[in-house]
Amino acid sequence: MSYRAQVEDIRFIFNNIAPVEQLSATERFAEVSDDLSDAVLEGMGKLTEEVVYPTLRNGDLQGAFLENGVVRTSPGFKEAFEAISEGGWVAVSGAQDHGGMGLPIAYTTAFNEMMASSNMALGLCPLLTQGQIEALEHHGSEELKNLYLDKLISGEWTGTMNLTEPGAGSDVGALKSKAEPLDDGTYAVTGQKIFITWGDHDFGGNVCHLVLARLPGGASGTKGISLFMVPKYLPDADGNPGVANDLKVVSLEHKLGIHGSPTAVMQFDGAKGWLVGEEHKGMAAMFTMMNNARLGVGAQGVGVAEGAYQKALDYAKEREQFGPIVNHADVRRMLVGMKADTFAARSVVMSCAVAIDMATATGAAEWKARAALLTPIAKSFATEVGIDVAEQGVQIHGGMGFIEETGAAQYSRDVRITAIYEGTNGIQAMDLVGRKMMDGGEAANVLLDEIEADVEAARAAMPELAEPVWQATETLRETVEWLVSQTDMNTRFAGSVPFLMAFGRVLGGYYHLKAALAEGGEGPRSKLARFYIRRLLPQHASYLEHARAGADDLYAFTLEDLEA
Amino acid sequence: MSYRAQVEDIRFIFNNIAPVEQLSATERFAEVSDDLSDAVLEGMGKLTEEVVYPTLRNGDLQGAFLENGVVRTSPGFKEAFEAISEGGWVAVSGAQDHGGMGLPIAYTTAFNEMMASSNMALGLCPLLTQGQIEALEHHGSEELKNLYLDKLISGEWTGTMNLTEPGAGSDVGALKSKAEPLDDGTYAVTGQKIFITWGDHDFGGNVCHLVLARLPGGASGTKGISLFMVPKYLPDADGNPGVANDLKVVSLEHKLGIHGSPTAVMQFDGAKGWLVGEEHKGMAAMFTMMNNARLGVGAQGVGVAEGAYQKALDYAKEREQFGPIVNHADVRRMLVGMKADTFAARSVVMSCAVAIDMATATGAAEWKARAALLTPIAKSFATEVGIDVAEQGVQIHGGMGFIEETGAAQYSRDVRITAIYEGTNGIQAMDLVGRKMMDGGEAANVLLDEIEADVEAARAAMPELAEPVWQATETLRETVEWLVSQTDMNTRFAGSVPFLMAFGRVLGGYYHLKAALAEGGEGPRSKLARFYIRRLLPQHASYLEHARAGADDLYAFTLEDLEA
């Protein structure tokens, strides 16, 4: 069994679903072309197939561990990360004047997806570093940019995000970490942070922590939080790692999956930090990181789905029970469903990535709104697909799927975190029906108009596919109208996850229809579209019934009722 | 956090959903009464809460391991199993003339459910032993019964099922194990068996293996297979464990979950065995075990769902993020959904158990058909609920859910196997649309008639609940009609899993409606019924669309299409 990078499918999506040619029409991304896409995707594909994928099982079986205060990473991870760095893949979208490729987020997303297919635990190291690069590019002082960006972009140093504390998870504003101004313009940062992904490692270089903490006089809640760069080693006069900062890894978590990714409890004891952005504006700076990290997590969902699908298909071709099991109807149902959902999720994620790039390149409010609307859907729908596809991958393996040596269960365990971190899928759904509908549903309706126009145009060629997609889009639109008319937010929140899932299902139907159209109605993509629209798209209806059920019946339950 | 046995809910179901009073009207189960139910359920509840549940985490963290050929079990398991044995709980339904309680399978099912809530890995030991007892009661010679039944029923000895081989999983008929007749009327059994649950342990006594193997001249496929009792130690003249038989544990599997349950690769090297039942009729004898084991696995799904729900609820009450998270709409949606689905699954499983008991007590063909129809649904629907509820339990814990110390992930890992063993859920679904519809859908239609009659009677009291259940039942009936008219089995199989899930969903709606009626339309059960019927029942429609989609679109895919 080996991994085959999903170069062709991404290329197809770049051409037909989330067209990157829109990008090449902008000044910012004028260099984008088919040839560039080929070169970049093939480069990433080769690296992830040949160098990264061979480390996948090691990361699970010999996870990161703490030895005398030093984090030891899984066998082969250091060398694989070096190869990633040498290829320049850490910061595909990093600023060119600091050594980055300056390419669209769409390419970075392809990289993140392939990393997740080949080794999600390792892929988190560049993913977090990408976020830090972006935060510094937007909010860092020139001094900080000059000190850090080149080394982060080259992969010499890596980056982390330090938000969560034991009492402050989804409620970031409850954090207790403090920062005290020092005479030299820096700050002494003190506090404990948990769930710090790649909080330390033995790759060498420096580990750069972006830490949320409250300055003296900072308001309570999220408005009084500031962001600080707190490196493991203080850069010396030449910008090289110097003396150790006052911070340490207290412990690593024992997790369900991504064993190869060291998840640290970090202790900062008056560690020296530099302010990033303005005082008390740390959340805004952090959101820059988080939004793109959300897209990156969506890409992880797609990537793991792809890896799990390939593994299950390989097994189904080889395993004989009354003939190869790939020929059994129920196994086919699962395999085709996995493939159809993976394509739908990949299309949603890539459409979101291109929207972000168009927003960056044009500054247009419409593209910003599109990107903002699609981000929570891309994160949650794609990670739910990742979890579901990995589960079906286990099921196709039968009893062998439950045996860890097989490796099928690893995909399922690894991908499970994607529904939780970077804001749980519940938080994403609240964002979708709350903040993202504060425009009265305009961004959603613009997208639905676009879909319906395309679907109308497709009716003549493939009426049997266009009609159900059109109907589903209408039902979704009615629910959007209902949602924005609800002023009680709990009424929206009570069905927000099913609403988000329905949105993803409908988008998936639309993208499958586009794929079938692009293929001319005959061929594997058209077969896949028929399967999806006939068998999976109908789920939107029950999701939307759930979405419109309101909150009263939920709050009718007393605690005693729930305990009974 | 502690576990509270689900005594009250089971009592409610015994009174209102799957009435055990039907049983007390039969000669076989005349002793069944409310008082007996109370005594039995409270006894099981006390044992599982106080003795079994405290061993749950040990089973995960310190799983069974092999040491110099001897299986070592998790700390506390031996003592807990002794307490189970002393209470007489191993064989609640075991024959009274061999020391069993002789009670209905419904009570055994309650025990299996509580065991799964409190320690599913340990619960497998009595579950497998129950199956062996039943197989011996039906198919064993008097000599075998006298030698084995007392000790199995008392828990002094334990039992296993040896079916699977590396090349023979779902296709049991492909097995290669052989049995050679010996001069003394016994047989020499040779072969390797895999996935042998509780294949060995250090509880003392004897481990009794029921092994499928082929006699010389046995036809190929399932028709030439015979069943043998192959004990770890050969009973001496007094029936006590004597010299070791020629069998051994080759290795234990490293599994995703149920680490406390030793899953063995067994090697039989001319081990002495005794024929159980007739030559070449081993599959029939094994099916006796497997059918009730399927119900038992369904009960495991329910039990783990209950455990995961209780843990998530306890966490949601305590965890504060913008106030206790139990007050957040999305967390409520999950909790209420978990509770509603657990009740639905429990009701399906208990209805199946009572049908089996009625079939045993009356011998009536109608009850046999009902039991046969419900068994695959109880197994698959309840285990899918178990998996889904445990997943949602992880999600409610947020980041802590991904940390193994929390214990939420254990439910999710443990319950995953229930969709695979005792016939995968795909195999169950094929059984439902194949063998169980060979009556032209009669058994299904009798059940649907019964449901519709009850629902009609409920219309006056609660029209808003009765109408959707009636409509869903009609849609299900139409699909049954469509299914039985399909002569190409792949056409049925292609949608068999969604069909089974729809059947479960509709039964759940019916049972929730009955619960609301029994409560008079006001109270927690009626709230739960409203939630289920409004939010979860609608899923039946998309399942049934999927079920009727046929197989052509699946077989339209070439292997190259799937690989693309």
Side-chain angles (χ1 to χ4, degrees), chain B residues 95-125:
Chain B
Q96 283 174 313
D97 49 358
H98 290 282
M101 296 193 204
L103 294 176
I105 290 287
Y107 292 119
T108 294
T109 302
F111 176 72
N112 290 335
E113 197 203 308
M114 291 184 195
M115 282 301 298
S117 299
S118 54
N119 187 339
M120 179 178 144
L122 178 58
L124 279 161
C125 187

Side-chain angles (χ1 to χ4, degrees), chain B residues 4-198:
Chain B
R4 305 168 294 281
Q6 47 271 32
V7 171
E8 214 177 294
D9 213 44
I10 296 175
R11 278 289 273 115
F12 178 87
I13 288 171
F14 278 177
N15 283 343
N16 300 288
I17 308 286
V20 292
E21 67 179 10
Q22 296 171 96
L23 295 174
S24 56
T26 67
E27 197 187 322
R28 174 72 179 80
F29 296 121
E31 82 273 40
V32 167
S33 67
D34 283 358
D35 286 350
L36 182 70
S37 293
D38 284 341
V40 169
L41 294 177
E42 279 161 21
M44 293 169 179
K46 191 172 155 64
L47 174 84
T48 50
E49 286 174 353
E50 295 174 7
V51 178
V52 180
Y53 178 72
T55 65
L56 174 62
R57 295 291 297 140
N58 272 352
D60 194 50
L61 299 170
Q62 298 170 259
F65 63 97
L66 194 63
E67 188 180 57
N68 302 323
V70 179
V71 171
R72 301 295 176 198
T73 55
S74 304
F77 274 35
K78 183 175 194 289
E79 295 74 17
F81 188 73
E82 278 168 8
I84 292 166
S85 302
E86 278 163 21
W89 301 113
V90 171
V92 172
S93 303
Q96 283 174 313
D97 49 358
H98 290 282
M101 296 193 204
L103 294 176
I105 290 287
Y107 292 119
T108 294
T109 302
F111 176 72
N112 290 335
E113 197 203 308
M114 291 184 195
M115 282 301 298
S117 299
S118 54
N119 187 339
M120 179 178 144
L122 178 58
L124 279 161
C125 187
L127 183 70
L128 271 288
T129 304
Q130 289 161 18
Q132 181 161 114
I133 290 166
E134 203 179 0
L136 288 177
E137 284 176 359
H138 283 88
H139 304 283
S141 64
E142 285 310 307
E143 184 198 353
L144 282 179
K145 286 186 196 174
N146 290 331
L147 250 173
Y148 289 91
L149 278 180
D150 291 42
K151 294 196 170 70
L152 290 166
I153 286 173
S154 70
E156 200 178 336
W157 295 2
T158 66
T160 74
M161 292 166 70
N162 287 243
L163 289 81
T164 305
E165 298 180 9
S170 300
D171 182 6
V172 181
L175 66 77
K176 291 179 177 163
S177 290
K178 290 187 187 328
E180 296 281 342
L182 300 175
D183 292 343
D184 62 357
T186 66
Y187 298 81
V189 176
T190 300
Q192 192 176 78
K193 296 285 180 177
I194 62 171
F195 300 152
I196 308 310
T197 300
W198 285 91

Side-chain angles (χ1 to χ4, degrees), chain A residues 166 169 171 254 309 317 321 327 332 339 391 404 416 527 535 550 553-556 561-564, chain B residues 167 169 171 254 309 317 319 321 327 332 339 391 404 416 527 535 550 553-556 561-564:
Chain A
D171 183 6
H254 173 219
Y309 169 75
K317 287 190 299 183
Q321 290 290 283
N327 290 338
R332 285 200 160 231
K339 192 171 177 64
E391 280 289 305
E404 287 289 4
R416 186 64 187 81
K527 296 176 199 172
R535 299 192 191 233
D553 64 337
L554 297 179
Y555 288 99
D561 290 343
L562 293 175
E563 284 157 4
Chain B
D171 182 6
H254 173 220
Y309 169 75
K317 288 191 299 183
R319 172 69 173 168
Q321 291 288 283
N327 290 337
R332 284 199 161 233
K339 193 171 176 64
E391 280 289 305
E404 287 289 4
R416 186 64 187 82
K527 296 177 199 172
R535 299 192 190 233
D553 65 336
L554 297 180
Y555 288 99
D561 290 342
L562 293 174
E563 284 157 4

Side-chain angles (χ1 to χ4, degrees), chain A residues 166-171 195 253-258 309 313 317 319 321-322 326-330 332-333 336 339 387 391 394-395 398-400 402-405 409 413 416-417 419-420 424-426 490 493-494 497-498 524 527-528 531 534-535 538-539 542 545-546 548-550 553-557 559 561-564, chain B residues 166-171 195 253-258 309 313 317 319 321-322 326-330 332-333 336 339 387 391 394-395 398-400 402-405 409 413 416-417 419-420 424-426 490 493-494 497-498 524 527-528 531 534-535 538-539 542 545-546 548-550 553-557 559 561-564:
Chain A
S170 299
D171 183 6
F195 299 152
E253 303 292 357
H254 173 219
K255 306 186 301 293
L256 175 61
I258 53 167
Y309 169 75
L313 176 61
K317 287 190 299 183
R319 173 69 174 168
Q321 290 290 283
F322 311 102
V326 70
N327 290 338
H328 295 323
D330 187 54
R332 285 200 160 231
R333 176 189 62 83
V336 177
K339 192 171 177 64
I387 290 168
E391 280 289 305
V394 170
Q395 191 68 19
M400 292 307 294
F402 201 65
I403 305 299
E404 287 289 4
E405 279 77 3
R413 289 186 289 96
R416 186 64 187 81
I417 189 60
I420 296 172
T424 64
N425 286 0
N490 274 339
F493 293 157
V497 167
K527 296 176 199 172
L528 209 57
F531 177 95
R534 176 78 204 266
R535 299 192 191 233
Q539 290 173 10
S542 57
E545 283 200 62
H546 199 150
R548 287 190 302 260
D553 64 337
L554 297 179
Y555 288 99
F557 285 87
L559 279 187
D561 290 343
L562 293 175
E563 284 157 4
Chain B
S170 300
D171 182 6
F195 300 152
E253 303 292 357
H254 173 220
K255 306 186 301 295
L256 175 61
I258 52 167
Y309 169 75
L313 176 61
K317 288 191 299 183
R319 172 69 173 168
Q321 291 288 283
F322 311 102
V326 71
N327 290 337
H328 295 322
D330 187 54
R332 284 199 161 233
R333 175 188 63 83
V336 176
K339 193 171 176 64
I387 290 169
E391 280 289 305
V394 170
Q395 191 69 18
M400 293 306 294
F402 201 65
I403 305 298
E404 287 289 4
E405 280 77 4
R413 289 186 289 95
R416 186 64 187 82
I417 189 61
I420 297 172
T424 65
N425 286 1
N490 274 339
F493 293 157
V497 166
K527 296 177 199 172
L528 209 57
F531 176 95
R534 175 77 202 266
R535 299 192 190 233
Q539 290 171 11
S542 57
E545 282 200 60
H546 199 149
R548 288 190 301 260
D553 65 336
L554 297 180
Y555 288 99
F557 285 86
L559 279 187
D561 290 342
L562 293 174
E563 284 157 4

Side-chain angles (χ1 to χ4, degrees), chain B residues 460-472:
Chain B
M462 27 187 66
E464 83 290 1
L465 295 185
E467 176 60 23
V469 176
W470 195 88
Q471 284 295 346

Side-chain angles (χ1 to χ4, degrees), chain A residues 429 433 475-476 479-480 482-483 486 489-503 538-554 557, chain B residues 328-341 388 392 505 527-540 542:
Chain A
V433 301
T475 314
L476 179 61
T479 309
V480 170
W482 179 86
L483 268 178
Q486 304 303 316
M489 290 312 284
N490 274 339
T491 303
R492 297 191 192 186
F493 293 157
S496 57
V497 167
F499 173 74
L500 184 150
M501 290 303 292
F503 214 134
Q539 290 173 10
H540 78 277
S542 57
Y543 281 134
L544 291 175
E545 283 200 62
H546 199 150
R548 287 190 302 260
D552 289 352
D553 64 337
L554 297 179
F557 285 87
Chain B
H328 295 322
D330 187 54
V331 173
R332 284 199 161 233
R333 175 188 63 83
M334 287 191 273
L335 284 169
V336 176
M338 291 159 79
K339 193 171 176 64
D341 256 352
D388 188 51
Q392 293 193 59
R505 273 271 161 264
K527 296 177 199 172
L528 209 57
R530 269 183 212 104
F531 176 95
Y532 182 97
I533 291 170
R534 175 77 202 266
R535 299 192 190 233
L536 302 181
L537 179 61
Q539 290 171 11
H540 78 277
S542 57

